[in-house]
């Protein structure tokens, strides 16, 4: 009940944003609205029929995919320059706070979503920290090698 008003505001805001974008781009009703309506209907059906924990898993899947893609990119790229670790830290903190609320309220959907999202956020912080540390060691070694080469000449 305490989240109904804020969720209604979010739905109205999202509706208005999609409406403005669809009108600005000249998109038809089915192209703009059909996919979100189907996804929302499937989400509601899952919540009602299967349960809140499965619904929590479903709603967090896009974020999980994003975190996994970020981790993979940080592990594969030559440098983590340009990555904003503060996002991962803040996201992890927010997930911990929502997890505490979910535990207190007994909301299994929120608990599942926060555990997955928070774990992956903090995993990305660890990956970033390890990669950033290794890059700084490499750059110092390269600088020392260049210095030694110049001095020896």
């Amino acid at each position: 009940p305490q989240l109904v008003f804020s969720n209604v505001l979010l739905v109205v805001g999202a509706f208005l944003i999609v409406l403005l974008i669809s009108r600005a781009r000249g998109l038809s009703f089915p192209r703009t609205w059909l996919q979100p309506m189907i996804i929302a209907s499937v989400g509601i059906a899952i919540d009602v029929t299967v349960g809140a924990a499965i619904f929590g898993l479903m709603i967090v899947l896009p974020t999980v995919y994003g975190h996994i893609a970020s981790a993979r990119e940080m592990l594969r790229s030559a440098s983590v320059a340009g990555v904003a670790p503060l996002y991962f830290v803040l996201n992890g903190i927010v997930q911990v706070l929502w997890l505490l609320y979910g535990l207190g309220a007994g909301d299994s959907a929120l608990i599942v979503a926060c555990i997955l999202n928070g774990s992956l956020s903090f995993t990305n912080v660890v990956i970033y920290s390890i990669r950033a540390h290794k890059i700084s060691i490499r750059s110092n070694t390269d600088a020392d090698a260049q210095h030694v080469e110049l001095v020896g000449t």
Side-chain angles (χ1 to χ4, degrees), residues 6 9 12 35 59 89 106 120 123 131 147:
S6 59
L9 287 177
V12 169
Q35 183 183 7
I59 62 171
V89 171
L120 290 171
T123 299
R131 290 296 316 279
H147 176 69

Side-chain angles (χ1 to χ4, degrees), residues 55-66 95 112-114 116-118:
F55 175 75
L57 181 62
M58 184 195 95
I59 62 171
V60 79
L61 285 178
T63 307
V64 166
Y65 176 77
Q95 296 307 314
V112 168
C114 290
L116 282 171
N117 198 10

Side-chain angles (χ1 to χ4, degrees), residues 125-139:
V125 169
V126 170
I127 291 170
Y128 175 85
S129 299
I130 290 170
R131 290 296 316 279
H133 180 67
K134 285 184 179 181
I135 288 171
S136 67
I137 290 172
R138 281 187 203 144
S139 64

Side-chain angles (χ1 to χ4, degrees), residues 30-45:
R31 185 168 177 199
T32 307
W33 298 98
L34 194 57
Q35 183 183 7
M37 293 170 109
I38 290 171
I39 292 171
S41 300
V42 168
I44 291 168

Side-chain angles (χ1 to χ4, degrees), residues 33-134:
W33 298 98
L34 194 57
Q35 183 183 7
M37 293 170 109
I38 290 171
I39 292 171
S41 300
V42 168
I44 291 168
I46 287 173
D47 189 23
V48 170
T49 59
V50 183
I54 301 299
F55 175 75
L57 181 62
M58 184 195 95
I59 62 171
V60 79
L61 285 178
T63 307
V64 166
Y65 176 77
H67 280 300
I68 291 171
S70 294
R72 186 181 64 203
E73 188 64 29
M74 283 191 289
L75 290 169
R76 289 182 177 178
S77 66
S79 169
V80 291
V83 174
L86 185 59
Y87 165 76
F88 296 123
V89 171
L90 293 176
N91 189 355
I93 292 169
V94 167
Q95 296 307 314
V96 168
L97 294 173
W98 274 110
L99 175 62
L100 294 173
Y101 172 80
L103 290 169
D107 187 337
S108 58
L110 193 56
I111 293 167
V112 168
C114 290
I115 287 174
L116 282 171
N117 198 10
S119 300
L120 290 171
S121 285
F122 287 122
T123 299
N124 280 337
V125 169
V126 170
I127 291 170
Y128 175 85
S129 299
I130 290 170
R131 290 296 316 279
H133 180 67
K134 285 184 179 181

